[in-house]
Amino acid sequence: MTNKVIPYGRQNITQEDIDAVICALQSDYLTQGPKIVEFENAFSDYIGVKYSVAVSNGTAALHLCALALGIQEGDKVITSPITFAASANCVKYCGGDVVFADIDPTTYLLDINNVRSLLEKSPKGTYKGIIPVDFAGRSVDLEAFRELANEYGLWIIEDACHAPGGYFLDTNKKGQNCGNGNFADLSIFSFHPVKHIACGEGGMITTNDEALYNKLLMLRTHGITKNDSLYHNSTDFANGTLGSEKYPNWYMEMQTLGYNYRITDFQAALGTSQLKRADEGIVKRREIAKTYDNAFKGKGYIKGQSGVVEGHAYHLYVIEVENRLGLYNYLKENNIFAQIHYIPCHLMPYYKQFGWKEGDMPNAEEYYKNCLSLPMFPTLRSEEQNFVIEKVNDFYKK
Ligand SMILES: *Cc1c(COP(=O)(O)O)cnc(C)c1O
């Protein structure tokens, strides 16, 4: 039917997006201007959280979270092996130790029971935090994780890169949006083009905690503040003369070791424009997922993410199959570029040097043998999706 390549994910840039970027490029600010605050406010409204801090990418967001929460040399932090490496790497950036806990083989999410048994096996205080991941767009039950974290005095960074617009139902059957700050201390998002909202590069941290919010703002810009209520040095010093009562306009203080993790105004403008279509995108993703679900129902050779999936944001549509390599190659011959999410993080050579080895995470390793992410993005046309379904079924009929 079509010679065009069908990727697993793809951004959608409209004329409105292009106009928004051009408008930012023609304004007085390319960076550090009003478009950033605009994007942050729009994002806070969308998620239903108090504070949002826009940064240069999702990895920078994770690093700033790790810094703001004060991860130090030797601190132990628990995360999932089935995630993008950055979820774990942020702990290493600060000198901490990553402890992987296995996934639930039906939801593919970090299994809270495995986290609990790790915590029970060590004296309280051994672990500092948990980084659960809303893998594929399916929210972890953060209410349950919060309860466990409180019991052990841990913080939570929710890696919500796959799940802007996703939610889970709490014990009162109320929807809790990913990143809304009700359970996690900090949540992070990415605006890489394969994610829901594209900025080219970009990221966001959300929180309801004002103190953490202020720390993040400083850390994002070299550890510098321009808020005179926070200054340490005297007004006399700042003015260079005695008897001066006000800080001069040029004055600023670097109070902590920060970074330059800012996003630009033209990227933020693109983000705000994309955000307007975020709900539409989720509706489309859920329709695509439903079509796959129906098409594969009763097909013994396909297993998917099972259980309750209300609130799933479907960054990915993952299946588990036998002869995954064969299917992957067959789809590729037909210009369908499926992808693997993820090679288990603990078996990356970098992490193996810390003692992780095959057999440590049996569910994650078994999952990796069979998993495949099929094309899933809002502009996937129904002919294209039907072609994908047909090719998957053809492969197993042969
Ligand atoms: C994309 C992604 C990141 C990193 O985001 P970047 O913007 O690419 O740095 C982190 N965690 C997960 C789960 C991701 O999918």
Side-chain angles (χ1 to χ4, degrees), residues 57-59 62 83-84 86-87 133 159 161-162 188 190-192 195 201-202 342:
N57 56 65
T59 305
L62 283 161
T83 184
F84 184 60
S87 317
V133 182
D159 184 335
C161 282
H162 296 185
I188 70 109
S190 163
F191 306 125
H192 182 278
K195 311 288 164 74
E201 298 282 354
Y342 290 96

Side-chain angles (χ1 to χ4, degrees), residues 22 27 121 166 177 184 233 245 296-297 304 345 357 367 388-389:
I22 290 173
S27 76
K121 270 188 237 142
N177 287 349
N233 288 331
E245 302 206 331
F296 298 143
K297 202 177 282 167
C345 208
K357 58 187 187 314
Y367 163 82
V388 173
I389 292 166

